Amino acid sequence: MIPVELVKLLDGLRTRLDSNGELSSRFRAELHETIERLSANEHLDAGYLRRSRLALICATNSLTYLDSSVDEVEIEKISREIILHSKVALQGRFEMKDLEIENDKLFKLINNRISSGDIQLRALYAGMACYAAVNTVLYDGRAESSPDAEINTSPDEWPACFYASLAASGSACWENKGGEFERRKFWDWYLVDAVPKAWDVELELI
């Protein structure tokens, strides 16, 4: 069961989405810090497990934008495989060292496609959402908990949830290219569906 404190915070954050539909990094940091604090009452690794689950849920959500990209079949194939392997790795049934090798392969593939100059942006963002999610599983990164806005940080440090929001909206809010409705819809889904699902560690990730 989700703690009452977390439920109230999630409800409150739904009203904090800005005019661009963005859930700011400051509010995301507050959310992740709350999840970590509440999880610490259960088990030492509970926070890590929920961070990893949430990142994988966001990455899985973004895979639909790879489905529609006929030019990025290889990125889609590797992304789907690595997300599946990450979920199994959290259960101790896939070697982390092998997962790291696969993630490096995905990152190099995405960068090669970027260098070619014709990668579809939503496919790029979806692939990077998968890469970032796997990094959370591998290294227990706390990028999700950083209050620093993504515009001020390296794209290599952006969390899976932010990349997934880019895949949904097509651009970052500071680019002023629209996508407010899709961005707002993503972050509302994140607060209403993704976080509660990540919290329930007994709920299998599909």
PDB file of all heavy atoms in Angstrom, residues 141-175:
ATOM      1  N   GLY A 141      22.163   5.317 -10.009  1.00  0.00           N
ATOM      2  CA  GLY A 141      22.351   6.756 -10.178  1.00  0.00           C
ATOM      3  C   GLY A 141      21.249   7.541  -9.499  1.00  0.00           C
ATOM      4  O   GLY A 141      20.105   7.104  -9.438  1.00  0.00           O
ATOM      5  N   ARG A 142      21.617   8.712  -8.996  1.00  0.00           N
ATOM      6  CA  ARG A 142      20.643   9.558  -8.320  1.00  0.00           C
ATOM      7  C   ARG A 142      20.253  10.755  -9.190  1.00  0.00           C
ATOM      8  O   ARG A 142      19.846  11.786  -8.681  1.00  0.00           O
ATOM      9  CB  ARG A 142      21.209  10.049  -6.985  1.00  0.00           C
ATOM     10  CG  ARG A 142      21.552   8.930  -6.009  1.00  0.00           C
ATOM     11  CD  ARG A 142      20.320   8.132  -5.615  1.00  0.00           C
ATOM     12  NE  ARG A 142      20.639   7.081  -4.659  1.00  0.00           N
ATOM     13  CZ  ARG A 142      20.578   7.238  -3.336  1.00  0.00           C
ATOM     14  NH1 ARG A 142      20.238   8.397  -2.821  1.00  0.00           N
ATOM     15  NH2 ARG A 142      20.866   6.242  -2.536  1.00  0.00           N
ATOM     16  N   ALA A 143      20.419  10.625 -10.508  1.00  0.00           N
ATOM     17  CA  ALA A 143      20.066  11.741 -11.393  1.00  0.00           C
ATOM     18  C   ALA A 143      18.606  12.137 -11.221  1.00  0.00           C
ATOM     19  O   ALA A 143      18.238  13.305 -11.350  1.00  0.00           O
ATOM     20  CB  ALA A 143      20.324  11.367 -12.855  1.00  0.00           C
ATOM     21  N   GLU A 144      17.757  11.145 -10.904  1.00  0.00           N
ATOM     22  CA  GLU A 144      16.339  11.430 -10.722  1.00  0.00           C
ATOM     23  C   GLU A 144      16.104  12.367  -9.543  1.00  0.00           C
ATOM     24  O   GLU A 144      15.089  13.059  -9.479  1.00  0.00           O
ATOM     25  CB  GLU A 144      15.554  10.136 -10.483  1.00  0.00           C
ATOM     26  CG  GLU A 144      15.643   9.113 -11.610  1.00  0.00           C
ATOM     27  CD  GLU A 144      16.760   8.122 -11.385  1.00  0.00           C
ATOM     28  OE1 GLU A 144      17.683   8.433 -10.614  1.00  0.00           O
ATOM     29  OE2 GLU A 144      16.727   7.035 -11.994  1.00  0.00           O
ATOM     30  N   SER A 145      17.049  12.373  -8.601  1.00  0.00           N
ATOM     31  CA  SER A 145      16.876  13.160  -7.381  1.00  0.00           C
ATOM     32  C   SER A 145      17.579  14.512  -7.436  1.00  0.00           C
ATOM     33  O   SER A 145      17.573  15.254  -6.460  1.00  0.00           O
ATOM     34  CB  SER A 145      17.404  12.369  -6.180  1.00  0.00           C
ATOM     35  OG  SER A 145      16.743  11.126  -6.067  1.00  0.00           O
ATOM     36  N   SER A 146      18.184  14.834  -8.578  1.00  0.00           N
ATOM     37  CA  SER A 146      18.899  16.105  -8.692  1.00  0.00           C
ATOM     38  C   SER A 146      17.929  17.261  -8.905  1.00  0.00           C
ATOM     39  O   SER A 146      17.049  17.179  -9.763  1.00  0.00           O
ATOM     40  CB  SER A 146      19.889  16.055  -9.860  1.00  0.00           C
ATOM     41  OG  SER A 146      20.450  17.336 -10.077  1.00  0.00           O
ATOM     42  N   PRO A 147      18.083  18.352  -8.143  1.00  0.00           N
ATOM     43  CA  PRO A 147      17.213  19.518  -8.330  1.00  0.00           C
ATOM     44  C   PRO A 147      17.663  20.384  -9.504  1.00  0.00           C
ATOM     45  O   PRO A 147      16.979  21.351  -9.858  1.00  0.00           O
ATOM     46  CB  PRO A 147      17.364  20.270  -7.007  1.00  0.00           C
ATOM     47  CG  PRO A 147      18.754  19.942  -6.562  1.00  0.00           C
ATOM     48  CD  PRO A 147      18.993  18.513  -7.005  1.00  0.00           C
ATOM     49  N   ASP A 148      18.812  20.035 -10.125  1.00  0.00           N
ATOM     50  CA  ASP A 148      19.326  20.834 -11.232  1.00  0.00           C
ATOM     51  C   ASP A 148      18.503  20.592 -12.488  1.00  0.00           C
ATOM     52  O   ASP A 148      18.272  19.447 -12.889  1.00  0.00           O
ATOM     53  CB  ASP A 148      20.788  20.482 -11.517  1.00  0.00           C
ATOM     54  CG  ASP A 148      21.701  20.819 -10.345  1.00  0.00           C
ATOM     55  OD1 ASP A 148      21.387  21.785  -9.627  1.00  0.00           O
ATOM     56  OD2 ASP A 148      22.705  20.113 -10.150  1.00  0.00           O
ATOM     57  N   ALA A 149      18.075  21.670 -13.132  1.00  0.00           N
ATOM     58  CA  ALA A 149      17.293  21.559 -14.353  1.00  0.00           C
ATOM     59  C   ALA A 149      18.144  20.937 -15.462  1.00  0.00           C
ATOM     60  O   ALA A 149      19.351  21.186 -15.555  1.00  0.00           O
ATOM     61  CB  ALA A 149      16.787  22.927 -14.775  1.00  0.00           C
ATOM     62  N   GLU A 150      17.509  20.135 -16.314  1.00  0.00           N
ATOM     63  CA  GLU A 150      18.243  19.446 -17.370  1.00  0.00           C
ATOM     64  C   GLU A 150      18.945  20.416 -18.311  1.00  0.00           C
ATOM     65  O   GLU A 150      19.990  20.085 -18.883  1.00  0.00           O
ATOM     66  CB  GLU A 150      17.292  18.537 -18.151  1.00  0.00           C
ATOM     67  CG  GLU A 150      16.985  17.214 -17.498  1.00  0.00           C
ATOM     68  CD  GLU A 150      16.016  17.304 -16.337  1.00  0.00           C
ATOM     69  OE1 GLU A 150      15.337  18.349 -16.226  1.00  0.00           O
ATOM     70  OE2 GLU A 150      15.914  16.350 -15.544  1.00  0.00           O
ATOM     71  N   ILE A 151      18.403  21.603 -18.497  1.00  0.00           N
ATOM     72  CA  ILE A 151      19.020  22.575 -19.391  1.00  0.00           C
ATOM     73  C   ILE A 151      20.421  22.944 -18.911  1.00  0.00           C
ATOM     74  O   ILE A 151      21.270  23.378 -19.696  1.00  0.00           O
ATOM     75  CB  ILE A 151      18.136  23.848 -19.518  1.00  0.00           C
ATOM     76  CG1 ILE A 151      18.623  24.717 -20.686  1.00  0.00           C
ATOM     77  CG2 ILE A 151      18.095  24.620 -18.213  1.00  0.00           C
ATOM     78  CD1 ILE A 151      17.716  25.902 -20.984  1.00  0.00           C
ATOM     79  N   ASN A 152      20.691  22.728 -17.633  1.00  0.00           N
ATOM     80  CA  ASN A 152      21.991  23.070 -17.046  1.00  0.00           C
ATOM     81  C   ASN A 152      22.899  21.863 -16.838  1.00  0.00           C
ATOM     82  O   ASN A 152      23.967  21.989 -16.232  1.00  0.00           O
ATOM     83  CB  ASN A 152      21.786  23.785 -15.704  1.00  0.00           C
ATOM     84  CG  ASN A 152      21.040  25.096 -15.854  1.00  0.00           C
ATOM     85  OD1 ASN A 152      21.268  25.850 -16.801  1.00  0.00           O
ATOM     86  ND2 ASN A 152      20.141  25.374 -14.918  1.00  0.00           N
ATOM     87  N   THR A 153      22.485  20.704 -17.302  1.00  0.00           N
ATOM     88  CA  THR A 153      23.281  19.493 -17.097  1.00  0.00           C
ATOM     89  C   THR A 153      23.528  18.787 -18.432  1.00  0.00           C
ATOM     90  O   THR A 153      22.841  19.040 -19.420  1.00  0.00           O
ATOM     91  CB  THR A 153      22.581  18.517 -16.137  1.00  0.00           C
ATOM     92  OG1 THR A 153      21.297  18.156 -16.677  1.00  0.00           O
ATOM     93  CG2 THR A 153      22.373  19.139 -14.771  1.00  0.00           C
ATOM     94  N   SER A 154      24.504  17.893 -18.431  1.00  0.00           N
ATOM     95  CA  SER A 154      24.841  17.147 -19.640  1.00  0.00           C
ATOM     96  C   SER A 154      23.726  16.161 -19.980  1.00  0.00           C
ATOM     97  O   SER A 154      23.175  15.507 -19.085  1.00  0.00           O
ATOM     98  CB  SER A 154      26.151  16.381 -19.423  1.00  0.00           C
ATOM     99  OG  SER A 154      26.352  15.434 -20.450  1.00  0.00           O
ATOM    100  N   PRO A 155      23.402  16.014 -21.271  1.00  0.00           N
ATOM    101  CA  PRO A 155      22.385  15.021 -21.661  1.00  0.00           C
ATOM    102  C   PRO A 155      22.706  13.610 -21.192  1.00  0.00           C
ATOM    103  O   PRO A 155      21.797  12.813 -20.984  1.00  0.00           O
ATOM    104  CB  PRO A 155      22.384  15.125 -23.197  1.00  0.00           C
ATOM    105  CG  PRO A 155      22.798  16.533 -23.472  1.00  0.00           C
ATOM    106  CD  PRO A 155      23.830  16.841 -22.416  1.00  0.00           C
ATOM    107  N   ASP A 156      23.994  13.308 -21.016  1.00  0.00           N
ATOM    108  CA  ASP A 156      24.374  11.979 -20.515  1.00  0.00           C
ATOM    109  C   ASP A 156      23.887  11.748 -19.094  1.00  0.00           C
ATOM    110  O   ASP A 156      23.826  10.601 -18.635  1.00  0.00           O
ATOM    111  CB  ASP A 156      25.894  11.801 -20.554  1.00  0.00           C
ATOM    112  CG  ASP A 156      26.433  11.706 -21.971  1.00  0.00           C
ATOM    113  OD1 ASP A 156      25.627  11.528 -22.897  1.00  0.00           O
ATOM    114  OD2 ASP A 156      27.662  11.808 -22.141  1.00  0.00           O
ATOM    115  N   GLU A 157      23.542  12.832 -18.378  1.00  0.00           N
ATOM    116  CA  GLU A 157      23.121  12.730 -16.990  1.00  0.00           C
ATOM    117  C   GLU A 157      21.598  12.849 -16.834  1.00  0.00           C
ATOM    118  O   GLU A 157      21.085  12.761 -15.720  1.00  0.00           O
ATOM    119  CB  GLU A 157      23.799  13.820 -16.160  1.00  0.00           C
ATOM    120  CG  GLU A 157      25.318  13.723 -16.160  1.00  0.00           C
ATOM    121  CD  GLU A 157      25.962  14.887 -15.425  1.00  0.00           C
ATOM    122  OE1 GLU A 157      25.237  15.729 -14.868  1.00  0.00           O
ATOM    123  OE2 GLU A 157      27.211  14.954 -15.418  1.00  0.00           O
ATOM    124  N   TRP A 158      20.895  13.037 -17.937  1.00  0.00           N
ATOM    125  CA  TRP A 158      19.440  13.177 -17.833  1.00  0.00           C
ATOM    126  C   TRP A 158      18.810  11.847 -17.432  1.00  0.00           C
ATOM    127  O   TRP A 158      19.215  10.785 -17.921  1.00  0.00           O
ATOM    128  CB  TRP A 158      18.855  13.637 -19.160  1.00  0.00           C
ATOM    129  CG  TRP A 158      19.236  15.042 -19.535  1.00  0.00           C
ATOM    130  CD1 TRP A 158      19.914  15.945 -18.774  1.00  0.00           C
ATOM    131  CD2 TRP A 158      18.971  15.701 -20.786  1.00  0.00           C
ATOM    132  NE1 TRP A 158      20.087  17.132 -19.452  1.00  0.00           N
ATOM    133  CE2 TRP A 158      19.509  17.008 -20.686  1.00  0.00           C
ATOM    134  CE3 TRP A 158      18.319  15.317 -21.954  1.00  0.00           C
ATOM    135  CZ2 TRP A 158      19.422  17.924 -21.732  1.00  0.00           C
ATOM    136  CZ3 TRP A 158      18.232  16.221 -22.994  1.00  0.00           C
ATOM    137  CH2 TRP A 158      18.772  17.508 -22.891  1.00  0.00           C
ATOM    138  N   PRO A 159      17.816  11.873 -16.549  1.00  0.00           N
ATOM    139  CA  PRO A 159      17.176  10.635 -16.097  1.00  0.00           C
ATOM    140  C   PRO A 159      16.206  10.076 -17.129  1.00  0.00           C
ATOM    141  O   PRO A 159      15.772  10.767 -18.060  1.00  0.00           O
ATOM    142  CB  PRO A 159      16.436  11.077 -14.834  1.00  0.00           C
ATOM    143  CG  PRO A 159      16.119  12.516 -15.085  1.00  0.00           C
ATOM    144  CD  PRO A 159      17.300  13.060 -15.840  1.00  0.00           C
ATOM    145  N   ALA A 160      15.863   8.826 -16.953  1.00  0.00           N
ATOM    146  CA  ALA A 160      14.965   8.143 -17.890  1.00  0.00           C
ATOM    147  C   ALA A 160      13.625   8.839 -18.008  1.00  0.00           C
ATOM    148  O   ALA A 160      13.056   8.932 -19.107  1.00  0.00           O
ATOM    149  CB  ALA A 160      14.775   6.693 -17.444  1.00  0.00           C
ATOM    150  N   CYS A 161      13.102   9.332 -16.893  1.00  0.00           N
ATOM    151  CA  CYS A 161      11.782   9.967 -16.939  1.00  0.00           C
ATOM    152  C   CYS A 161      11.796  11.203 -17.841  1.00  0.00           C
ATOM    153  O   CYS A 161      10.834  11.462 -18.567  1.00  0.00           O
ATOM    154  CB  CYS A 161      11.288  10.315 -15.540  1.00  0.00           C
ATOM    155  SG  CYS A 161      12.298  11.513 -14.643  1.00  0.00           S
ATOM    156  N   PHE A 162      12.899  11.956 -17.807  1.00  0.00           N
ATOM    157  CA  PHE A 162      12.971  13.158 -18.638  1.00  0.00           C
ATOM    158  C   PHE A 162      13.082  12.788 -20.112  1.00  0.00           C
ATOM    159  O   PHE A 162      12.404  13.374 -20.967  1.00  0.00           O
ATOM    160  CB  PHE A 162      14.140  14.039 -18.216  1.00  0.00           C
ATOM    161  CG  PHE A 162      14.171  15.353 -18.946  1.00  0.00           C
ATOM    162  CD1 PHE A 162      13.247  16.347 -18.658  1.00  0.00           C
ATOM    163  CD2 PHE A 162      15.117  15.591 -19.934  1.00  0.00           C
ATOM    164  CE1 PHE A 162      13.260  17.555 -19.339  1.00  0.00           C
ATOM    165  CE2 PHE A 162      15.143  16.793 -20.620  1.00  0.00           C
ATOM    166  CZ  PHE A 162      14.208  17.781 -20.327  1.00  0.00           C
ATOM    167  N   TYR A 163      13.914  11.801 -20.420  1.00  0.00           N
ATOM    168  CA  TYR A 163      14.006  11.356 -21.808  1.00  0.00           C
ATOM    169  C   TYR A 163      12.664  10.808 -22.299  1.00  0.00           C
ATOM    170  O   TYR A 163      12.276  11.027 -23.454  1.00  0.00           O
ATOM    171  CB  TYR A 163      15.088  10.288 -21.962  1.00  0.00           C
ATOM    172  CG  TYR A 163      16.452  10.856 -22.274  1.00  0.00           C
ATOM    173  CD1 TYR A 163      17.529  10.660 -21.422  1.00  0.00           C
ATOM    174  CD2 TYR A 163      16.671  11.592 -23.449  1.00  0.00           C
ATOM    175  CE1 TYR A 163      18.789  11.177 -21.715  1.00  0.00           C
ATOM    176  CE2 TYR A 163      17.921  12.112 -23.739  1.00  0.00           C
ATOM    177  CZ  TYR A 163      18.972  11.908 -22.872  1.00  0.00           C
ATOM    178  OH  TYR A 163      20.208  12.434 -23.170  1.00  0.00           O
ATOM    179  N   ALA A 164      11.960  10.098 -21.434  1.00  0.00           N
ATOM    180  CA  ALA A 164      10.651   9.578 -21.825  1.00  0.00           C
ATOM    181  C   ALA A 164       9.665  10.709 -22.087  1.00  0.00           C
ATOM    182  O   ALA A 164       8.819  10.614 -22.987  1.00  0.00           O
ATOM    183  CB  ALA A 164      10.115   8.647 -20.735  1.00  0.00           C
ATOM    184  N   SER A 165       9.782  11.794 -21.332  1.00  0.00           N
ATOM    185  CA  SER A 165       8.908  12.948 -21.570  1.00  0.00           C
ATOM    186  C   SER A 165       9.243  13.611 -22.910  1.00  0.00           C
ATOM    187  O   SER A 165       8.360  14.124 -23.598  1.00  0.00           O
ATOM    188  CB  SER A 165       9.029  13.964 -20.430  1.00  0.00           C
ATOM    189  OG  SER A 165      10.231  14.727 -20.513  1.00  0.00           O
ATOM    190  N   LEU A 166      10.522  13.593 -23.278  1.00  0.00           N
ATOM    191  CA  LEU A 166      10.926  14.134 -24.578  1.00  0.00           C
ATOM    192  C   LEU A 166      10.375  13.269 -25.715  1.00  0.00           C
ATOM    193  O   LEU A 166       9.941  13.792 -26.745  1.00  0.00           O
ATOM    194  CB  LEU A 166      12.447  14.208 -24.679  1.00  0.00           C
ATOM    195  CG  LEU A 166      13.181  15.151 -23.733  1.00  0.00           C
ATOM    196  CD1 LEU A 166      14.686  15.106 -23.999  1.00  0.00           C
ATOM    197  CD2 LEU A 166      12.669  16.575 -23.863  1.00  0.00           C
ATOM    198  N   ALA A 167      10.406  11.958 -25.515  1.00  0.00           N
ATOM    199  CA  ALA A 167       9.856  11.061 -26.526  1.00  0.00           C
ATOM    200  C   ALA A 167       8.364  11.312 -26.713  1.00  0.00           C
ATOM    201  O   ALA A 167       7.840  11.264 -27.830  1.00  0.00           O
ATOM    202  CB  ALA A 167      10.105   9.608 -26.125  1.00  0.00           C
ATOM    203  N   ALA A 168       7.684  11.612 -25.615  1.00  0.00           N
ATOM    204  CA  ALA A 168       6.241  11.857 -25.675  1.00  0.00           C
ATOM    205  C   ALA A 168       5.911  13.191 -26.323  1.00  0.00           C
ATOM    206  O   ALA A 168       4.971  13.299 -27.122  1.00  0.00           O
ATOM    207  CB  ALA A 168       5.646  11.794 -24.269  1.00  0.00           C
ATOM    208  N   SER A 169       6.682  14.224 -25.988  1.00  0.00           N
ATOM    209  CA  SER A 169       6.356  15.586 -26.449  1.00  0.00           C
ATOM    210  C   SER A 169       7.099  15.987 -27.722  1.00  0.00           C
ATOM    211  O   SER A 169       6.673  16.903 -28.424  1.00  0.00           O
ATOM    212  CB  SER A 169       6.688  16.600 -25.358  1.00  0.00           C
ATOM    213  OG  SER A 169       8.079  16.613 -25.081  1.00  0.00           O
ATOM    214  N   GLY A 170       8.218  15.344 -27.988  1.00  0.00           N
ATOM    215  CA  GLY A 170       8.982  15.653 -29.186  1.00  0.00           C
ATOM    216  C   GLY A 170      10.077  16.676 -29.004  1.00  0.00           C
ATOM    217  O   GLY A 170      10.907  16.865 -29.894  1.00  0.00           O
ATOM    218  N   SER A 171      10.099  17.344 -27.849  1.00  0.00           N
ATOM    219  CA  SER A 171      11.127  18.372 -27.627  1.00  0.00           C
ATOM    220  C   SER A 171      11.154  18.762 -26.157  1.00  0.00           C
ATOM    221  O   SER A 171      10.240  18.452 -25.398  1.00  0.00           O
ATOM    222  CB  SER A 171      10.833  19.619 -28.475  1.00  0.00           C
ATOM    223  OG  SER A 171       9.620  20.231 -28.070  1.00  0.00           O
ATOM    224  N   ALA A 172      12.232  19.463 -25.780  1.00  0.00           N
ATOM    225  CA  ALA A 172      12.330  20.015 -24.432  1.00  0.00           C
ATOM    226  C   ALA A 172      11.554  21.322 -24.364  1.00  0.00           C
ATOM    227  O   ALA A 172      11.435  22.035 -25.366  1.00  0.00           O
ATOM    228  CB  ALA A 172      13.795  20.254 -24.072  1.00  0.00           C
ATOM    229  N   CYS A 173      11.042  21.649 -23.190  1.00  0.00           N
ATOM    230  CA  CYS A 173      10.196  22.835 -23.065  1.00  0.00           C
ATOM    231  C   CYS A 173      10.945  24.113 -23.420  1.00  0.00           C
ATOM    232  O   CYS A 173      10.350  25.060 -23.942  1.00  0.00           O
ATOM    233  CB  CYS A 173       9.586  22.920 -21.666  1.00  0.00           C
ATOM    234  SG  CYS A 173      10.793  23.004 -20.323  1.00  0.00           S
ATOM    235  N   TRP A 174      12.275  24.144 -23.169  1.00  0.00           N
ATOM    236  CA  TRP A 174      13.029  25.365 -23.431  1.00  0.00           C
ATOM    237  C   TRP A 174      13.269  25.601 -24.927  1.00  0.00           C
ATOM    238  O   TRP A 174      13.711  26.671 -25.323  1.00  0.00           O
ATOM    239  CB  TRP A 174      14.351  25.358 -22.683  1.00  0.00           C
ATOM    240  CG  TRP A 174      15.291  24.248 -23.056  1.00  0.00           C
ATOM    241  CD1 TRP A 174      16.098  24.180 -24.162  1.00  0.00           C
ATOM    242  CD2 TRP A 174      15.527  23.043 -22.324  1.00  0.00           C
ATOM    243  NE1 TRP A 174      16.818  23.018 -24.168  1.00  0.00           N
ATOM    244  CE2 TRP A 174      16.505  22.302 -23.043  1.00  0.00           C
ATOM    245  CE3 TRP A 174      15.037  22.529 -21.115  1.00  0.00           C
ATOM    246  CZ2 TRP A 174      16.965  21.059 -22.606  1.00  0.00           C
ATOM    247  CZ3 TRP A 174      15.501  21.301 -20.682  1.00  0.00           C
ATOM    248  CH2 TRP A 174      16.448  20.582 -21.420  1.00  0.00           C
ATOM    249  N   GLU A 175      12.946  24.598 -25.756  1.00  0.00           N
ATOM    250  CA  GLU A 175      13.112  24.760 -27.203  1.00  0.00           C
ATOM    251  C   GLU A 175      11.948  25.515 -27.834  1.00  0.00           C
ATOM    252  O   GLU A 175      12.047  25.937 -28.992  1.00  0.00           O
ATOM    253  CB  GLU A 175      13.264  23.396 -27.870  1.00  0.00           C
ATOM    254  CG  GLU A 175      14.506  22.638 -27.443  1.00  0.00           C
ATOM    255  CD  GLU A 175      14.614  21.282 -28.103  1.00  0.00           C
ATOM    256  OE1 GLU A 175      13.913  20.347 -27.652  1.00  0.00           O
ATOM    257  OE2 GLU A 175      15.377  21.143 -29.072  1.00  0.00           O
TER     258      GLU A 175
END
